[in-house]
Amino acid sequence: MKEINKKLAVIQTELKAKKSSYNSFGKYHFRKAEDILEAVKPFLLREGVSVRVLEELVMGDHNPPIIQSTAVISDGENSINATAIVGVDLEQKGMQTAQQFGAASSYGKKYALGNLFLIDDTADADSTNSGGKAAQLVNKAKVKMTEDQYKKAVDFVKKGGAISAIESKYDVTPDQKSGLTRIKISN
């Protein structure tokens, strides 16, 4: 079992799954299950593993109906899986029943694969819905801190100011942050 864990750990640390789709209404990029599967393919032969996604309609008196998606990585002897459970929105306007199930299926696959490969989507619009134009404008508004501005920042921190206030205005380099943190600790 140690071998499959090592192989999965390699994939988890090296995998880069791009966000190839764009939602023009919400103004954000997002990742689909297909993006994750495409990013995993180069690892399959190299690590000697296979990946598959299983889906099951969870039976019962659930309203809404529930789809359980399970992503599985296997080396032929051992396997590790991760699951996502998604409700099917049968009230979604403008979609036929097959489309409603298909949308839930896609969502479940994406999150099962994300769980298996430790893909962090906390900044995605799916989880925060704040990745649009406002966030881009804030990032663009930050300027690199000059030496003179850094000296002022040092004085600010010495007087009890918060480093986060500086970071909200300036693009602070790791060295600058380290220096400010040492000053904050020593005061």
Side-chain angles (χ1 to χ4, degrees):
M1 191 68 170
K2 279 185 176 180
E3 280 300 309
I4 188 71
N5 285 332
K6 282 183 188 176
K7 293 174 181 185
L8 179 57
V10 166
I11 296 170
Q12 288 171 333
T13 56
E14 295 180 17
L15 182 71
K16 302 281 188 253
K18 64 183 178 182
K19 297 177 182 179
S20 68
S21 299
Y22 183 72
N23 180 311
S24 58
F25 180 76
K27 306 238 188 289
Y28 59 86
H29 289 89
F30 63 96
R31 178 183 297 115
K32 298 186 296 188
E34 291 82 1
D35 296 324
I36 299 170
L37 290 170
E38 192 64 31
V40 167
K41 284 180 182 179
F43 295 97
L44 299 180
L45 290 175
R46 188 181 94 189
E47 297 300 325
V49 295
S50 64
V51 173
R52 58 196 167 119
V53 180
L54 310 171
E55 293 186 291
E56 178 183 345
L57 180 62
V58 179
M59 302 309 281
D61 294 330
H62 307 288
N63 190 17
I66 295 173
I67 295 177
Q68 178 176 303
S69 299
T70 304
V72 181
I73 186 170
S74 172
D75 63 3
E77 293 179 21
N78 297 299
S79 64
I80 298 173
N81 62 51
T83 301
I85 297 173
V86 180
V88 180
D89 184 359
L90 295 176
E91 303 299 317
Q92 195 163 359
K93 304 237 186 263
M95 293 179 92
Q96 295 179 354
T97 304
Q99 292 170 310
Q100 294 164 337
F101 273 84
S105 168
S106 295
Y107 197 79
K109 286 178 193 175
K110 171 185 165 179
Y111 282 94
L113 288 164
N115 290 340
L116 182 64
F117 296 116
L118 301 179
I119 297 172
D120 184 7
D121 275 345
T122 56
D124 272 6
D126 281 352
S127 60
T128 65
N129 205 17
S130 65
K133 204 174 249 185
Q136 292 171 0
L137 290 174
V138 169
N139 289 336
K140 285 182 182 176
K142 290 183 183 181
V143 294
K144 290 193 183 235
M145 191 183 314
T146 66
E147 190 61 37
D148 187 47
Q149 291 165 333
Y150 179 73
K151 289 176 185 174
K152 290 179 182 177
V154 167
D155 290 338
F156 176 74
V157 171
K158 283 181 179 178
K159 293 177 184 172
I163 296 172
S164 60
I166 297 165
E167 290 177 310
S168 70
K169 185 174 180 181
Y170 296 104
D171 184 16
V172 180
T173 68
D175 287 341
Q176 289 170 331
K177 183 169 183 175
S178 176
L180 293 171
T181 303
R182 281 194 302 272
I183 292 165
K184 185 78 168 171
I185 293 170
S186 67
N187 281 342

